[in-house]
Amino acid sequence: MWKRKAKVTDQTADGQGPAPEKKYKKKVGIKKKSKVPGVMITQYVEELPEGKSHPDFTRKPIALTIQEGKLAIFKAIVTGDPEPTVTWARNNGEVTDKEKYQSKFDPNSHEHTLEMPNVSSDQADTYKCYAKNEFGKAIVTVMLNVIEVGFKKKKAQQQVEPEVVSGMKPVLRKSKVKPKDQQERKDGELDPKFWEILLSADKKDYERICQEYGVTNFRWMLKKLNEMKKEREEEQAQFVKTIEHLKPIKVNASGCASFELEMELLEASSRIFIYKDGEMVPFSLEVEDEVKHELKQVGKKYTFTIRDLLPDDAGLYQMDVEGVTVFSTDFKIPSVDFFGQNTGGEKFDIEVSEDKLVHRLVVKDCMMVDKGIYAAVAGIKSCNAFLVVEADKDPALHGKKKTRKTTKAGGSGLDLEKIAKEQQEKLQKDRAERIEAVKAAKEATVADGSGSGSAAPEPKSDADSGSGSGGGGDLTKKAADDGAAGHSKTVKDGSAVGLGSESQLGAPAMGPSKTVKDGSAVGLGSESQLGAPAMGGKGDGSDADGAQLGSGTDGSGSQIKGTPSDEKVSLTQGLSDAYAIRGKPVEMALTLSSDKAEGTWYKDGEKLSSEAGKELKKDGAIHKLMIQSAKDDHSGQYAFETAGIKTEASLTVGDVPEFDPDDLHKFSKPVIVKVGQNGSFKMPFEPQENLEIKWFKDGVELNDGGGVKIQRELNHSRLLMKDCIRSDAGEIKIKLKNPFGEIEATSRLIVLDKPGPPEGPVEVVESTSTVIELQWKPPKDDGGSAVTNYIIERQQVGQPMWKKLGDVTADRLTFRDRNVIHGKNYIYRIYAENPEGIGEPLVTESTMAGTLVFPGPPCAPKVESAFKNCINLKWEPPLQDNGTQILGYQLEKRKKDTQQWIALNPVNEPIEGLKYAVKDVSEGSEYEFRVAAINVSGAGDPSPPSQVVAARNPKMRPQFHSPEDFMVIRAGNSLRIKMTYEAEPQPDITWLKDEEPISPWINILNVEGSSTLVIPSSQRSDSGIYTIIAKNSSGSANFDIEVRVTDEPKQPGPVALEQLVHGKVIITWEPSPDQEVDDRLHYMVAEHESNTRIWRTIADRLFCNTFTANVHSGREYHFRIYAKNDMGPSDPSNSPTWGVNSNKVAATTNAPVSVSLERPPSIMVPLKVHTPPKGYQCFMTCAVRGFPTPYVFWYLNDICINDNKNYYITNAHGICSMYILRVSATDGGVYKVVAINNFGTAECSTKVSVKD
């Protein structure tokens, strides 16, 4: 799954990589993903330039476990543009010692190598390979494990200090399997191998393993096995996450033995060891032919392979991870089995030598039914030989009991055991020589440093010579050296012949044929070495007592042994096999060294003479056999003999392959398909022997594979081309060939597709203000069918839409566009169309209608205003537009005393108006500006330059931006008052609190354009009015900010309820302790009645300590009183329960009661002093009580303002409020509130000061 790229800084520590190279733009660290697992890539730039790339590994170094004193090599191949620099490092040490570490590069194979000759145990470490260029780096790590010479498992446990892995306890290998020389078991004790094999075996194999080790108590075995499995799993859990798919060791088709498993380690750096019978086995992690043991890892799959199998390779193999066994498997050399007619029963005996190198199959009382091929199979290899049984034609023994004799073929005076041991030693010696030769060649290649030297040739041995020995008398070294095939063996009735198999494990060999009389016993023997197959030769004679016979000729004219010769005549040129066409003449000839020698011709063993149609001719030393018209009966084996010389050759008569005329005519018709369809060709023919069938496309032979499938049958051949594309079209040819000649048939494959784009470039024939005429060429590829028409589309430059203009027939290759606008640029697309559809377009370059006409120059720009970061300009349009529309303007700037004009906008992005604010200026620098008008033709001549103007602010009296005049801060929090302003020059800033200088511990942060007052931990005493004063040479300005530092209020005191009037309850409470220190503190009353059962607010913003609530009889009431300020409400004070029978006044009385609620007005909460800044809002409140409800009047400087619309006045339940939306200078003065009813008057006043 793709992950979002994370940008981080480069985290490479000092010493972990090469010296940093130059940075490319802004250096970042973008983690990239490599296709090769385990490679970490860091990209230094956000976007790579075109054609450039960061380093990456196409081949990373592979972890290596090697024996001490060997040559350790790490190889890597890297890519990147520019070419990366490759360096090596190790975690615990340096690689600077040239004698121990040699870093090399092969320019031919592009391999970077780190070589460590005579590697030692102190070089075992984690190594890193760095590839770095200016765009990034790639890192990969690799482990090197070194095995000490003579290192045994027991020694490792006793002498090597246990390692502490990830903070765990030291872990030692707990396997009880010991080397063979240390195995000591008591009588009756099970071999520890039994339990190790069971722990890794499938359940279906338990019975076989128990039977092999003599265990009969299966219930006891299963119980103990489960206990051991539990212990083993606990040990494995320290290092292994999962392990599954365990496959025991077996011999595969390549002649190697291997076992495999899938395992996921908790730590990838955990070490893996392989043991054989308790002894550590060195192995390589790379595929190298000269290394016997290899451990290969692909993902989670581990495969251990043993090459060049020998009997010593048998044993118990175990894989350990950090000393914990994870897998055990027992490897046994497969036994030798014999296969033939029926090698079971008493008729056959198999004899095996003590060292198991010689195996014999004895066939008793050999009969005719026993003839055939016999094979000795060892593992996956085999050797075989023929047994030929002949009837005994001795008339003297007819009807009598035959004498039984026991004679073993291959045993005539030869010691098979001795020969087998010699071959075994020779094979091991040859293998050691080949390994040394490979190492010598590799060292020579490393020495000259070229990397292209050829390897030393491997020594030639009998095992590699390709010769093989047959049976019996061909086991001698002479026969093997001469490469002779086996000979026939003939024995009398009742003889017994033994077959001795001395081939190495898996060495196939084909022995000779054996010929014996009826009733004989025959044995077959084979001594072929590893990989040396041999097929028995063409022996002629037979020997009744097993002696070797003379051999015949080999077909090339070599002299037959035992043939007398009076003259020394040799064969200059012998006969060669010939093929003749039926009905045609044929000639066979040979040349002798003497023109006087005569000879005899034979056909299939019969002597030949000249006759009609056949002539024997001698021309000096050349002897010829000429046949005028070859026929089928002329086929056969021809021989010529003279003076002890014999040469043979065969003559075969046949016909040249032929096609049926109707089939040929049908095949010659072209096959037409569409793109994506399959093209099929079929050609029938007469069945023939030795017929070779080939298919060709445009003269190139086609092979089966990919999109081509070739089917060859006895009487026909078929060619199938799948998913055809245009490049598949061409001439298709089939060729039939036999020894007599060849014949061809051709067809054609036509693949239909859309046509290609028309041939360019497009020629502009005419371009005026009203018309553009184009001309093009037909497409190179018409898609297999004729083009029917062309389609033309047009796009105006700068617009996204394409417009179809029309189409023209295929015979017209021009088009006139009459709907153009003078000065506009156009792009055209031309498509070719055929019956298969519309092809890809040919796109033209931008073409203008008419000629270029540029506008005149505008007037010089004028400077409207200048600031340190912006200069505002304006200009007038040009006096002459030359009849074209002005699209906009291009503005340029130039610093004073320089000659370079810099464009502020490109031509294709014109300034549409006549004004522009130039922001790309440097404070204090002086500039000139000029402007040019732009039309469809481009930019015209520029205007004269403007006056020189400096980028600096004009002098300005300080002005504050959008200040807030009121702030509430929770006590203990930091107080920050930030004021922004504009002023030129920079003003002096002064802060005051309540018109006094601020305390020195208050922090003031002044930067250009702003000033910030900071109190880290505010207190209630920090409340007040803070004033900022900014003053410069142009004037001064000040601003007041009211700051209130407060905290959540404390809850009010006890609540009391009193009822004086039916239906009314007077609620009174003790004030909150914060009422004296917080003038903005007020109260809120909430009610809960038994009818609704919810809490609801019945009064808010009460500045007094009493409230009258309405109640109903028959209901129960609860009240809560909250104290509130700018920080929010306090915890509530709960009232007593007001219920049906508690503290209520009776609804009815026997005597009338007179209650008077009338009272004069009174001011509960007076007005407060306000000093709002000019332009800000102002809000004033007071609380009034009285009955009947008094009338409230507001006065400003003794003038009633109740009807003045500039003031918003409200009176809700005795809370009188006045709101001024925007304070002006006329709003300052004395404000007074007067409350009047029939019983009296109450008033309060305050003063409002308006600040500038």
Side-chain angles (χ1 to χ4, degrees), residues 667-673 679 681 695-700 702 719 721 724-734 745-752 784:
F667 180 80
S668 62
K669 294 181 179 180
V671 176
I672 303 175
V673 298
F681 296 86
W695 289 86
F696 299 86
K697 176 187 172 294
D698 295 332
V700 179
L702 298 175
L719 170 66
M721 302 186 71
C724 294
I725 58 177
R726 281 290 299 157
S727 60
D728 292 331
E731 182 185 69
I732 303 297
K733 181 194 301 182
I734 183 174
T746 59
S747 182
R748 179 166 290 277
L749 176 63
I750 300 176
V751 182
L752 301 181

Side-chain angles (χ1 to χ4, degrees), residues 12 124 129 167 241 325 351 373 485 517 521 544 575 597 675 733 756 774 879 1054 1170 1197 1210:
T12 303
C129 183
K241 186 176 181 181
T325 303
E351 300 177 358
I373 298 178
K517 299 297 184 179
L575 293 175
V675 168
K733 181 194 301 182
L774 308 175
L879 299 177
H1170 294 272
N1197 297 328
T1210 60

Side-chain angles (χ1 to χ4, degrees), residues 1055-1059 1061-1067 1085-1098 1107-1121 1133-1145:
V1055 181
L1057 302 178
E1058 181 183 3
Q1059 184 177 27
V1061 180
H1062 177 71
K1064 301 288 184 179
V1065 173
I1066 300 175
I1067 307 170
V1085 180
E1087 176 190 75
H1088 178 278
E1089 62 165 316
S1090 59
N1091 190 23
T1092 59
R1093 297 184 179 180
I1094 61 173
W1095 287 96
R1096 64 186 184 91
T1097 302
I1098 59 175
F1107 180 75
T1108 303
N1110 297 323
V1111 295
H1112 298 276
S1113 61
R1115 299 180 185 178
E1116 189 175 83
Y1117 291 89
H1118 298 271
F1119 300 95
R1120 286 178 178 174
I1121 311 300
S1133 294
N1134 295 314
S1135 70
T1137 301
W1138 181 265
V1140 179
N1141 299 315
S1142 60
N1143 300 329
K1144 68 174 185 177
V1145 178

Side-chain angles (χ1 to χ4, degrees), residues 730-781:
E731 182 185 69
I732 303 297
K733 181 194 301 182
I734 183 174
K735 179 186 291 185
L736 303 183
K737 182 179 180 181
N738 65 6
F740 309 101
E742 62 182 34
I743 188 172
E744 298 178 352
T746 59
S747 182
R748 179 166 290 277
L749 176 63
I750 300 176
V751 182
L752 301 181
D753 193 9
K754 301 174 184 177
E759 189 78 12
V762 175
E763 179 183 354
V764 180
V765 179
E766 181 182 359
S767 177
T768 65
S769 60
T770 58
V771 66
I772 295 178
E773 184 175 0
L774 308 175
Q775 185 176 4
W776 61 90
K777 298 178 183 178
K780 288 184 178 180
D781 182 10

Side-chain angles (χ1 to χ4, degrees), residues 68 298 461 499 1013:
E68 184 179 16
V298 179
S461 66
L499 176 139
L1013 180 144

Side-chain angles (χ1 to χ4, degrees), residues 231 285 337 404 414 430 450 530 545 627 634 661 666 683 786 809 829 839 908 968 1019 1075 1097 1123 1196:
E231 295 178 1
L285 297 178
D337 295 325
R404 304 297 184 182
L414 297 178
D430 291 344
S450 63
L530 178 62
D545 60 0
I627 302 174
H634 290 150
K666 183 178 179 180
M683 189 64 190
T809 58
R829 291 195 304 210
N908 57 356
V968 178
Q1019 301 175 0
Q1075 181 172 335
T1097 302
L1196 171 58

